[in-house]
Amino acid sequence: MPVGPFGLDPLLWAIVRLLIAVVLVVALILNSSLLLIYLERKIQAVMQDRIGPYHTGPFGLLQTFADALKLIAKEDVRAGHTDVAFFIAAPALVFTPMLASYVVLPFAPPLVGADLNIGLLYLATLGSMGVLGIVIAGWASNNKYALVGGLRSAGQLISYEVPGILSLVTAVLVVGSLSMVKITETQTGPLVNLFVLPLAFATYLVSSLAETNRTPFDLPEAESELVAGYLTEYSGMRWGTMLALTEYGNVVVVCSIMTTLWLGGWNGPGVAALPILGVVWFTLKVYALILVFMWVRATLPRLRIDQLMSFCWKILIPTTLLNLAVTAVLLIAFPSTLVPVAIANWILLVAFIVLLPVVQQRRLRQLRKTLRARTAAAGVAS
Amino acid sequence: MPLAAFIAVSAALFFIGVAGVLVRRNAVVILMSVELMLNATNLAFVAFSRRLGVAGERGSVFVVFIFVVAAAEVAVGLAIILAAYRNRPTVDVDQLDEMKG
Amino acid sequence: MPDYSLSYFYVFVFFGTGAVFVAALLTASGLVQPKKKTAEKLRTYESGEEPVGGAWGRFPIHFYIFALLFVVFDVEVIFLFPWAVLFRSFGWYGLVEMGVFIFILVAGLFYAWRKGALKWY
Amino acid sequence: MSVDVVGLVWLVPGIPLAAAIVNGLFGRRWLHRTTGVIASVALGLSAALGLAIFFAVLASGGQPRVVTLYEWIGVGDFRVDTAALVDPLSATMVAVVAGISFLIHIFSIGYMEHDRGIHRFFTWLPLFVFFMLTLVLADNYLLMFVGWEGVGLCSYLLIGFWFEKPAPYTAANKAFWMNRIGDWGFTIGTILTFLTFGSLNFHEVFDKVAGVAQTQPLTITFIALAFFLGATGKSAQLPLYSWLPDAMEGPTPVSALIHAATMVTAGVYLVARSTPIFADAGSALVVVGIVGAVTALFAATIALVQVDIKRVLAYSTVSQLGYMFLACGVGAPIAAIFHLATHAFFKALLFLGSGSVIHATEEQDMRRMGGLRRKMPITYWTFLLAGGALAAIPPLAGFWSKDEIVGAAFTSGHQILWSVGIGTGLLTAFYTTRMIYLTFHGEPRDHHLYDHAHESPPVMTVPLMLLAAGAVLAGLVLGFPPDAGFIHRFLAGVVSAEAGQQPEAPNYVLIAVLAAVAVVAALIGIGIGYAMYARRRPDPAAVSRAAGPIYTLLVNKYFVDELYDHRIIDGGRALFGAAWAFDAHIIDGIVDRLAWLTALIGSGLRRVQTGVVGNYALSIAAGLLVLIVVYGGYATGMLHR
Amino acid sequence: MLDFLGLVVFAIFTIMIVGAGLGVVLANRVTTSALLMAFTFLNMAGMFVLLGAETIAAFQVLIYVGAITVLILYGVMFTPQTPRAYGLFFQKQTPWGAVLAALAALPVIVVAFSFHDAKTVAPPGGDLNALAIAVFNSFAFPFEVASVLLLAAMVGAIVLVKRESPAAPPAAPLRRSEPPR
């Protein structure tokens, strides 16, 4: 009879491990949300030359705890004409897939919930489930802002899912596996995939910004247009679950995906000797990416919905498809080396960055021309 | 789990779908019922494929193609419903009988 | 294969945990929060204006077209993933196959573009 | 790196199809004149690959190979694949078809340059090539029928290319209907083949022919005749020939490609391909030979008096096709294929040459031309070479192949057919001389036209020169020495009447004598032509007056069209009238009663057609229930048969 | 114990699938039907996992839950209905249909229980590779046809949906500050 760690029966150990994992993940989500909200405020403040939260606790560290307590104790109002079942189901529908994503995240060699064969596909799948909750939240509120906001967010999420997944597939071409652990194990050296597939990284970064409703894609909460989008009628802890927990939880998930696929996951100096050290490296990398997210938020203005959609379908998807094609052809043509792929990808990245403003300028000129023509036509008519 | 159990679940869901098509008025719900039927066949396909196939993933391949067909079917079906709805704001199948002869 | 079963049992439990956690959180919050409902509070929020009619009306159709395009590209993804994992062993043959497949779908995207279906307004 | 060229055989028709699709989809809006370049490049690739396959087959010693694309139909025992049979015969045909098509495509870029419908032209033309190659490559009768119908369709579209004018439109319809009669024969033949042999695959059928011929000789004869009816339709033989001259209303490259070099040879190809059937078909072979010989003579006599340059060529084509069938009929299918190949070169060249003339003068009536030799030297010289080949002057291509056919008629003991062949050769030489003199020599008869004439651009003349090289050399390269040349050895295993037998050593003395007779006949023809049109002694007008009624008969093409109109169509009308009366009073009487009854039942059943989808779904489900009960009952053994 | 757990999970899935499926048919709000349908699909994915077809399960969620349900929800939202009595959600022929479905279901379910397990059972999981090999080698032609089908569906749906006059310019000039909807 095989004996597991700590002299436990393997099955019993598995269940104990499961319980530990559940508790750990829930605690992680709660804490990282609190921490990230604090960080977000503080970093934004620094970038904008303000102070940010500083009253509650040292450096304002306890501010978010206070906010959380306030949220829990707050009355959550359900307006008169809502669709009850849906209204209640929506927070669970957005939260659950996010939580389930943590099962496959490879924090460190001994710290993986479950190493599924199809881990990456699993993550992509769960990413697509979140849309459902948002559409339902918008619909259930029976509020025009919420409904339009929900539909818009859904449109945004489903649209950006396509380039996101296409970028993932491009990376899979190189790593050749969907198991998160195996993907990490392919990148033990310092030359991580980021240097091979920078364009795929960039496109995935952009689409994950949109997937997590982060600026410049935070249309759902475009206050000036739609109040708070699909969240308009949500208050109290329902709002807290849907926005605070889920959004920051999802940010961690997409940053972990990027870390695993492009930054080498837990790999780093000393991991071979002390596997648990992987957590540190992994966390550092994830937080570095999160800092990028926050930096973007502090820098860029919000896009308009039509710009957002046409950017996705007319620029991002063709780019990712092109990248996928080029990568696949080069990998087949040069099966033993990644150098041509890397060169092509860097060239494409530079071309993308250089051409993007040019294309946008042209589109803008065209738009102005149509507008002028319309104005002129209307002037003649009246 | 025995194979029979899966097949029975598949059959049950399939006939729930059949019943949905036969009893509901709303065209969108009928479309959903059709999806249930397709899904039930998927289950049967996968069950047989896993139990019979040594390396043959033929059943699973069929399921993948059913996914394709289901997606295409929903896209076009809903488009037809929307087009009909635009002419006359109803999705009751027994009121969409203008082509009756 | 306890490994396979266990892995997915984890997934199953996590799904359950998600639902239970949300329910528990909201219940806990419900226990401590005050409940003072007024007619004003329960009214649909429209920036302080009196709400006119419900929200459940008819919508511009372009939402549907984007959803439609998404479904088609999602279906493409279910072929892309298996192909991406094994594409080295399929070689040029698989590359051409997938190329034709994607080309035909891109032709559809191009059609939608030309038809003006990708315009948001 | 060795590439399996034969395995790529589907690309040969595939590339033209792709070009046709691209041109068809994007031609009108975006490509316009670029369509010509696209089509030509595609055909160039296709031709190169075709040649490569030809040499690959040659290198492999002519081993037949089947390249299956996919299973097309599989119903019970009936299985038809979309598969290519690559053997010497089809390889030769592919090389000829793809090569000539390529040159004609290039020529067309210049010829169609100013036409508004150029994109249509370059959609149908590669599409035609696709179907023709499918026909040639097919490894079974059904797939061949697809190509057969396809070329018919493209021919219809291309004859009626200038559909704004009534004549092309009518000609297209005529071609279509006449071809339909032939296709009917092909269909009957195919069905009979399947019923008799249980398969449509060439190899399976041919393996069984000998056995079946023992027991059912009549069936084999009937199949052969049915296929031959199909061949007469497509290859414009008596009695279904009259569409081909009218088809000259289409653009000249079309005439060159379809109505001289490729499609019309489909019938010959069918007969050659089906050699095992025809060999065992007894009297069918005699019919083939006689029809071929009569057609050859008949068409040649009409060609004597035509004044439209393209019509002369059209009748000449009919006549030459007659030669090919004559060859098949006297048991020399290799000679038929040989003549097919050489004819493809020189007839395509003649048509393109005439096209060049027409392009330059915008006139087709030879009486208004004359003296163009000085204006269009390249066209003239190439045309002259092709005319020599047509008249079978040694050592040009036509001599070798035609001479072999006529010789085969003699050696196989058909002296009458041989004499018809010699006579036709004389007439051929005469009308060729007449055509060349009227067009290129003498004084210009229409000065306006003469002054505006000019040599065609290189894009047109280069294909002319290439084809001229073929017209000069093809015979020597392929067919020398006579009866034992390259092509004979190459094709012997596939299409010789007695497959497997070593061909006997040719009797060169006999061949030389026969050739001499043929050449003398040709020279006599040229001499008469020269005397009449260059020296005016005897004057052609006087001759035609003297000939009187015969001349009238010839100018009016033996009144065949009128005969068809009056006898057949009127007869048909009378028959149909009677049928109509029967139909109106007796059949309709029954139908009316039935209709009344149906209406009665229908008014009762109408209630079922509620238009409510749910009710229909309910009926479907009820049907499902019945199926489940019945099938499940049998499957579980609760019901018994 | 793992076997027992598997049985429990299977029972949960079965109850969920049948219950939610019945809910789709019986619910008096279309939105509820749609949500329950998504739930059925999710549990169906669980069934696939139990059968060892993890890839199919993932695809099931990706396509059915992530895409088709969203599409259907859109369809539901675009075709709002006035509230009415519960009985009016069903066709006039309801009893016939229900009886018929039940009649047909009974023999099939009975037959379903007669299936016995085959000897060879592939180990669960890892079906992605087998699937890929099957699709790209044996089913290459259907695979390409699938893309044509999708193209046809895409074009057809766009044509059906975008029937209103596309080129009519708005009567009033569009001001630049006005956010497009």
Side-chain angles (χ1 to χ4, degrees):
Chain A
M1 173 134 187
V3 178
F6 309 115
L8 289 172
D9 172 77
L11 198 62
L12 195 57
W13 161 240
I15 289 170
V16 169
R17 194 170 160 269
L18 173 59
L19 290 178
I20 296 172
V22 169
V23 171
L24 268 182
V25 164
V26 170
L28 173 72
I29 289 172
L30 287 174
N31 288 320
S32 70
S33 303
L34 294 178
L35 180 60
L36 285 176
I37 292 174
Y38 170 76
L39 269 182
E40 176 115 55
R41 286 179 173 182
K42 217 44 180 173
I43 288 171
Q44 294 249 46
V46 169
M47 286 186 174
Q48 292 161 356
D49 212 3
R50 296 187 280 113
I51 300 175
Y54 73 113
H55 271 302
T56 326
F59 311 107
L61 264 172
L62 294 178
Q63 180 64 48
T64 40
F65 283 93
D67 287 346
L69 283 178
K70 182 200 76 176
L71 274 183
I72 289 178
K74 204 173 166 185
E75 176 179 14
D76 48 4
V77 179
R78 192 166 52 71
H81 300 285
T82 47
D83 188 325
V84 187
F86 276 27
F87 194 78
I88 296 172
L93 272 173
V94 293
F95 182 79
T96 310
M98 185 275 294
L99 182 81
S101 304
Y102 282 76
V103 178
V104 292
L105 296 187
F107 293 102
L111 221 66
V112 184
D115 176 28
L116 303 186
N117 291 323
I118 51 161
L120 199 61
L121 179 57
Y122 172 79
L123 283 172
T125 301
L126 291 183
S128 77
M129 278 177 70
V131 185
L132 209 55
I134 285 171
V135 178
I136 284 171
W139 167 258
S141 302
N142 195 3
N143 175 315
K144 287 161 200 142
Y145 294 123
L147 189 57
V148 175
L151 283 175
R152 268 194 190 186
S153 311
Q156 171 188 335
L157 290 187
I158 57 180
S159 297
Y160 277 87
E161 207 177 305
V162 176
I165 293 183
L166 287 175
S167 313
L168 289 184
V169 169
T170 313
V172 170
L173 291 181
V174 172
V175 296
S177 171
L178 294 180
S179 150
M180 298 298 273
V181 172
K182 283 195 190 122
I183 290 171
T184 312
E185 282 164 355
T186 56
Q187 309 175 66
T188 44
L191 267 175
V192 289
N193 280 337
L194 177 62
F195 300 107
V196 183
L197 295 168
L199 178 57
F201 178 77
T203 49
Y204 186 76
L205 183 73
V206 171
S207 27
S208 60
L209 280 172
E211 285 284 291
T212 49
N213 290 331
R214 300 280 310 186
T215 326
F217 303 105
D218 56 344
L219 269 287
E221 0 161 12
E223 292 90 348
S224 47
E225 299 168 26
L226 286 171
V227 190
Y230 61 91
L231 292 168
T232 306
E233 290 289 345
Y234 281 85
S235 56
M237 204 52 220
R238 283 202 190 103
W239 179 87
T241 321
M242 282 196 76
L243 183 73
L245 286 183
T246 310
E247 178 175 332
Y248 288 97
N250 268 329
V251 168
V252 173
V253 171
V254 292
C255 288
S256 306
I257 294 175
M258 277 188 270
T259 304
T260 311
L261 266 181
W262 280 282
L263 297 182
W266 66 59
N267 287 310
V271 172
L274 188 62
I276 202 71
L277 202 60
V279 182
V280 178
W281 290 116
F282 191 84
T283 316
L284 277 178
K285 288 173 185 174
V286 169
Y287 271 79
L289 286 173
I290 291 175
L291 280 184
V292 173
F293 273 43
M294 290 176 180
W295 183 15
V296 169
R297 175 165 179 179
T299 312
L300 295 179
R302 180 183 300 137
L303 284 175
R304 225 168 46 205
I305 179 79
D306 60 316
Q307 296 169 329
L308 176 116
M309 296 304 264
S310 62
F311 177 72
C312 175
W313 287 99
K314 297 179 180 172
I315 296 177
L316 207 53
I317 290 180
T319 309
T320 45
L321 278 173
L322 177 72
N323 191 19
L324 179 69
V326 168
T327 309
V329 168
L330 288 177
L331 280 176
I332 291 281
F334 304 97
S336 52
T337 169
L338 288 177
V339 177
V341 178
I343 294 171
N345 236 282
W346 279 104
I347 292 172
L348 280 176
L349 178 68
V350 171
F352 181 66
I353 292 170
V354 170
L355 287 182
L356 193 57
V358 178
V359 174
Q360 293 292 34
Q361 282 288 324
R362 237 188 90 215
R363 284 180 49 78
L364 203 61
R365 267 206 300 279
Q366 250 167 15
L367 198 66
R368 284 203 186 116
K369 224 164 77 187
T370 19
L371 284 178
R372 262 204 299 280
R374 273 186 199 173
T375 319
V380 169
S382 63
Chain B
M1 255 56 61
L3 174 62
F6 288 103
I7 305 300
V9 173
S10 158
L13 186 63
F14 183 84
F15 282 99
I16 288 172
V18 171
V21 172
L22 291 185
V23 305
R24 287 299 298 241
R25 263 198 175 150
N26 190 318
V28 183
V29 179
I30 289 181
L31 211 55
M32 294 182 208
S33 305
V34 173
E35 292 304 314
L36 290 187
M37 286 158 73
L38 283 174
N39 225 301
T41 56
N42 281 357
L43 180 58
F45 265 121
V46 172
F48 283 126
S49 163
R50 292 302 298 184
R51 292 300 155 129
L52 298 178
V54 185
E57 280 285 331
R58 300 218 147 189
S60 303
V61 173
F62 263 89
V63 172
V64 170
F65 285 119
I66 290 176
F67 287 155
V68 177
V69 172
E73 178 234 321
V74 168
V76 177
L78 273 178
I80 291 172
I81 293 174
L82 292 186
Y85 186 84
R86 196 155 43 199
N87 284 343
R88 201 163 133 194
T90 180
V91 285
D92 287 0
V93 285
D94 46 8
Q95 285 183 38
L96 298 172
D97 57 355
E98 274 156 13
M99 276 172 68
K100 84 169 159 192
Chain C
M1 294 296 124
D3 220 21
Y4 172 86
S5 311
L6 258 185
S7 297
Y8 280 97
F9 189 63
Y10 271 49
V11 173
F12 179 72
V13 169
F14 265 67
F15 265 92
T17 309
V20 170
F21 178 77
V22 172
L25 200 63
L26 291 180
T27 317
S29 156
L31 289 179
V32 296
Q33 75 194 21
K35 289 191 187 64
K36 292 197 190 86
K37 299 204 187 322
T38 63
E40 278 299 306
K41 251 189 214 169
L42 293 184
R43 207 165 65 193
T44 307
Y45 177 76
E46 288 195 1
S47 307
E49 304 279 329
E50 284 289 324
V52 181
W56 297 336
R58 294 168 72 169
F59 305 99
I61 216 85
H62 50 251
F63 289 106
Y64 180 76
I65 290 182
F66 281 99
L68 171 83
L69 286 174
F70 161 70
V71 167
V72 170
F73 276 85
D74 222 26
V75 172
E76 175 196 338
V77 164
I78 69 172
F79 289 107
L80 267 178
F81 265 110
W83 171 78
V85 173
L86 282 186
F87 91 116
R88 278 171 215 264
S89 62
F90 295 134
W92 289 108
Y93 180 67
L95 203 62
V96 169
E97 254 180 274
M98 189 43 86
V100 171
F101 184 82
I102 290 182
F103 175 79
I104 291 174
L105 288 191
V106 170
L109 180 64
F110 186 71
Y111 171 83
W113 195 334
R114 294 290 303 212
K115 276 291 258 194
L118 294 186
K119 268 197 200 126
W120 186 257
Y121 43 89
Chain D
M1 194 175 78
S2 79
V3 179
D4 178 22
V5 183
V6 179
L8 296 176
V9 68
W10 279 110
L11 284 181
V12 180
I15 299 171
L17 177 65
I21 290 173
V22 168
N23 285 347
L25 287 181
F26 307 116
R28 195 162 67 100
R29 189 78 64 83
W30 289 303
L31 298 174
H32 308 290
R33 297 226 298 268
T34 324
T35 50
V37 180
I38 293 174
S40 302
V41 169
L43 262 296
L45 291 174
S46 185
L49 193 57
L51 276 178
I53 287 172
F54 179 78
F55 286 113
V57 172
L58 190 63
S60 73
Q63 275 305 310
R65 227 184 100 183
V66 175
V67 182
T68 306
L69 194 60
Y70 59 92
E71 182 183 319
W72 180 20
I73 301 172
V75 186
D77 294 337
F78 181 56
R79 197 189 133 110
V80 177
D81 288 345
T82 300
L85 173 64
V86 184
D87 66 357
L89 178 58
S90 60
T92 313
M93 289 294 289
V94 164
V96 170
V97 170
I100 303 256
S101 305
F102 171 52
L103 295 177
I104 291 175
H105 272 75
I106 292 183
F107 180 87
S108 307
I109 295 178
Y111 190 83
M112 300 301 290
E113 194 179 13
H114 305 297
D115 199 286
R116 268 192 310 124
I118 185 167
H119 57 91
R120 260 190 311 127
F121 187 82
F122 280 112
T123 305
W124 303 139
L125 212 56
L127 188 68
F128 164 79
V129 178
F130 162 71
F131 279 123
M132 186 68 202
L133 289 168
T134 308
L135 189 163
V136 167
L137 283 171
D139 92 322
N140 57 66
Y141 282 110
L142 202 59
L143 186 58
M144 191 177 187
F145 188 63
V146 171
W148 187 271
E149 289 292 296
V151 292
L153 169 74
C154 291
S155 160
Y156 168 77
L157 291 168
L158 285 165
I159 295 171
F161 182 73
W162 288 309
F163 57 83
E164 303 93 339
K165 292 189 271 180
Y169 166 76
T170 322
N173 272 337
K174 186 172 181 180
F176 199 69
W177 286 114
M178 288 223 154
N179 267 307
R180 290 308 309 169
I181 300 175
D183 295 345
W184 175 72
F186 194 130
T187 318
I188 299 287
T190 311
I191 295 171
L192 275 178
T193 307
F194 177 65
L195 290 179
T196 313
F197 301 103
S199 168
L200 289 176
N201 188 288
F202 289 143
H203 278 298
E204 288 173 26
V205 169
F206 298 159
D207 286 347
K208 290 182 191 159
V209 165
V212 175
Q214 300 287 321
T215 52
Q216 301 163 273
L218 261 180
T219 316
I220 303 284
T221 308
F222 201 76
I223 291 173
L225 284 177
F227 278 137
F228 182 60
L229 178 61
T232 55
K234 201 64 73 195
S235 288
Q237 296 298 292
L238 276 176
L240 298 178
Y241 75 97
S242 67
W243 65 271
L244 183 59
D246 286 5
M248 296 305 127
E249 296 294 346
T252 305
V254 170
S255 307
L257 178 59
I258 299 186
H259 306 120
T262 55
M263 182 183 93
V264 290
T265 61
V268 183
Y269 175 73
L270 172 64
V271 174
R273 175 56 85 193
S274 309
T275 305
I277 294 182
F278 278 86
D280 281 325
S283 47
L285 215 49
V286 182
V287 175
V288 174
I290 292 173
V291 169
V294 172
T295 310
L297 183 62
F298 181 81
T301 51
I302 299 178
L304 296 178
V305 299
Q306 294 299 317
V307 291
D308 180 328
I309 184 167
K310 279 179 73 180
R311 282 193 183 254
V312 177
L313 290 173
Y315 281 105
S316 143
T317 305
V318 175
S319 169
Q320 298 300 312
L321 289 166
Y323 269 118
M324 295 175 209
F325 279 103
L326 170 62
C328 290
V330 299
I334 295 180
I337 297 295
F338 182 25
H339 193 52
L340 189 159
T342 56
H343 175 253
F345 280 106
F346 64 74
K347 189 52 68 66
L349 175 53
L350 282 171
F351 266 110
L352 292 189
S354 75
S356 177
V357 171
I358 295 166
H359 188 68
T361 61
E362 290 171 14
E363 178 57 64
Q364 301 199 12
D365 192 336
M366 292 189 293
R367 285 171 301 187
R368 300 184 57 202
M369 298 174 185
L372 289 175
R373 175 175 48 143
R374 287 180 293 279
K375 286 276 188 168
M376 312 177 69
I378 300 176
T379 308
Y380 168 67
W381 281 108
T382 52
F383 202 85
L384 190 64
L385 284 173
L390 175 61
I393 303 299
L396 302 175
F399 164 74
W400 301 98
S401 52
K402 188 200 256 178
D403 188 56
E404 198 171 307
I405 292 173
V406 181
F410 187 86
T411 47
S412 66
H414 299 85
Q415 276 83 357
I416 300 173
L417 296 184
W418 171 77
S419 53
V420 171
I422 292 293
T424 308
L426 191 152
L427 295 177
T428 308
F430 172 74
Y431 68 67
T432 310
T433 318
R434 170 177 176 263
M435 175 169 69
I436 292 173
Y437 259 94
L438 283 179
T439 310
F440 291 104
H441 289 265
E443 286 306 307
R445 285 179 287 280
D446 184 330
H447 279 281
H448 176 74
L449 190 140
Y450 178 79
D451 292 341
H452 284 82
H454 56 84
E455 182 58 284
S456 300
V459 71
M460 293 166 75
T461 50
V462 169
L464 289 182
M465 290 187 270
L466 289 175
L467 280 172
V472 174
L473 296 175
L476 267 175
V477 171
L478 293 176
F480 188 84
D483 282 340
F486 163 74
I487 194 164
H488 304 88
R489 278 176 278 125
F490 189 50
L491 291 178
V494 194
V495 283
S496 85
E498 296 87 23
Q501 267 184 34
Q502 277 302 315
E504 292 168 28
N507 182 348
Y508 283 110
V509 179
L510 184 60
I511 288 173
V513 173
L514 290 172
V517 175
V519 171
V520 168
L523 289 177
I524 292 173
I526 292 173
I528 298 174
Y530 183 73
M532 277 174 73
Y533 289 96
R535 308 245 166 230
R536 300 263 149 207
R537 206 177 307 145
D539 189 47
V543 173
S544 59
R545 267 198 305 281
I550 298 174
Y551 180 74
T552 320
L553 193 64
L554 289 181
V555 166
N556 287 300
K557 305 163 232 166
Y558 292 100
F559 295 102
V560 166
D561 282 338
E562 286 77 3
L563 182 80
Y564 283 175
D565 264 359
H566 291 133
R567 287 293 158 269
I568 297 186
I569 295 182
D570 286 1
R573 284 210 180 108
L575 191 67
F576 297 151
W580 177 80
F582 182 77
D583 190 58
H585 295 115
I586 297 176
I587 307 272
D588 276 8
I590 298 168
V591 172
D592 283 349
R593 292 293 96 188
L594 276 177
W596 175 78
L597 193 65
T598 315
L600 202 67
I601 300 169
S603 61
L605 281 178
R606 195 179 56 195
R607 282 160 225 285
V608 177
Q609 293 279 330
T610 53
V612 178
V613 185
N615 296 157
Y616 299 153
L618 193 66
S619 329
I620 294 172
L624 177 69
L625 178 61
V626 172
L627 269 182
I628 288 172
V629 168
V630 172
Y631 185 77
Y634 282 126
T636 53
M638 280 186 259
L639 289 175
H640 297 285
R641 270 171 223 278
Chain E
M1 171 148 159
L2 252 181
D3 288 348
F4 175 70
L5 264 185
L7 208 61
V8 170
V9 172
F10 176 79
I12 293 174
F13 284 149
T14 305
I15 293 167
M16 292 297 179
I17 286 176
V18 175
L22 282 174
V24 172
V25 176
L26 296 176
N28 62 347
R29 314 182 71 142
V30 190
T31 40
T32 315
S33 288
L35 197 60
L36 286 175
M37 181 190 71
F39 194 63
T40 315
F41 291 156
L42 202 60
N43 284 295
M44 191 58 96
M47 281 287 189
F48 292 150
V49 170
L50 276 183
L51 279 167
E54 48 180 1
T55 312
I56 296 290
F59 290 165
Q60 161 92 4
V61 177
L62 193 69
I63 299 292
Y64 273 108
V65 182
I68 288 182
T69 307
V70 174
L71 208 58
I72 284 192
L73 274 175
Y74 275 28
V76 171
M77 293 181 192
F78 290 145
T79 57
Q81 297 292 291
T82 44
R84 51 184 167 183
Y86 183 65
L88 289 180
F89 286 103
F90 300 99
Q91 298 175 12
K92 281 186 212 133
Q93 59 176 14
T94 300
W96 290 107
V99 167
L100 203 77
L103 274 181
L106 277 177
V108 175
I109 293 178
V110 168
V111 169
F113 277 111
S114 70
F115 280 105
H116 302 291
D117 280 343
K119 292 256 163 45
T120 50
V121 178
D127 56 340
L128 187 86
N129 293 6
L131 192 68
I133 290 165
V135 169
F136 290 97
N137 287 347
S138 319
F139 290 84
F141 191 63
F143 165 65
E144 303 296 357
V145 172
S147 71
V148 177
L149 175 73
L150 285 174
L151 177 69
M154 197 169 8
V155 171
I158 288 175
V159 167
L160 273 173
V161 169
K162 265 195 82 82
R163 239 186 355 190
E164 62 260 89
S165 59
L174 230 112
R175 271 174 296 123
R176 197 170 308 155
S177 59
E178 189 178 62
R181 206 158 42 83

